[in-house]
């Protein structure tokens, strides 16, 4: 996905919107993380989000810890999708469908 530039248009659009406003940059970080996390792969999410936003955080003097925490929080929340690794492993261990685990969590994810 990274090699073919799948997320490049999305990253460029987000970077145009957030510009140099630290609050918008943090919200943009969470938004990009949420979109990329839909594939259920945390490592891909961190690679894409960090490569897009770390230079901006450093240039503006923002703490990279904020980048890490926002990315981890959004990724952790969306890692519960039925096709994500943790939900699939839990479903296999409990011998239930991943949907049986995911559906009750939808209100918490939405909140």
């Amino acid at each position: 996905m990274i090699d073919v530039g799948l997320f490049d248009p999305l990253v460029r659009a987000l970077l145009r919107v957030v510009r140099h406003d630290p609050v918008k940059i943090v919200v943009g970080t969470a938004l990009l993380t949420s979109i990329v996390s839909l594939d259920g792969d945390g490592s891909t999410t961190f690679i894409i989000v960090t490569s897009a936003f770390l230079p901006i955080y450093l240039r503006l003097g923002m703490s990279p810890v904020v980048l890490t925490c926002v990315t981890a929080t959004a990724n952790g929340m969306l890692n519960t999708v039925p096709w994500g690794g943790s939900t699939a492993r839990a479903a296999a261990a409990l011998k239930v469908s991943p949907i049986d685990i995911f559906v009750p969590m939808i209100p918490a994810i939405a909140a």
Side-chain angles (χ1 to χ4, degrees):
M1 291 185 296
I2 295 170
D3 290 344
V4 298
L6 179 66
F7 294 103
D8 289 350
L10 175 62
V11 170
R12 277 194 297 275
L14 276 172
L15 294 178
R16 267 195 307 271
V17 171
V18 301
R19 304 237 181 225
H20 301 296
D21 183 2
V23 174
K24 287 182 182 178
I25 290 170
V26 172
V27 171
T29 302
L31 183 60
L32 180 62
T33 302
S34 299
I35 293 168
V36 176
S37 289
L38 287 174
D39 74 347
D41 182 23
S43 58
T44 302
T45 300
F46 274 91
I47 290 169
I48 292 169
V49 174
T50 302
S51 64
F53 278 97
L54 184 60
I56 296 168
Y57 275 70
L58 295 176
R59 186 171 9 136
L60 295 178
M62 295 173 64
S63 173
V65 175
V66 174
L67 170 66
T68 305
C69 291
V70 169
T71 304
T73 301
N75 185 46
M77 179 185 65
L78 285 165
N79 197 32
T80 59
V81 292
W83 53 88
S86 58
T87 305
R89 284 190 297 276
L94 296 171
K95 295 183 172 95
V96 297
S97 169
I99 296 298
D100 295 335
I101 295 173
F102 177 70
V103 171
M105 292 189 294
I106 291 175
I109 292 170

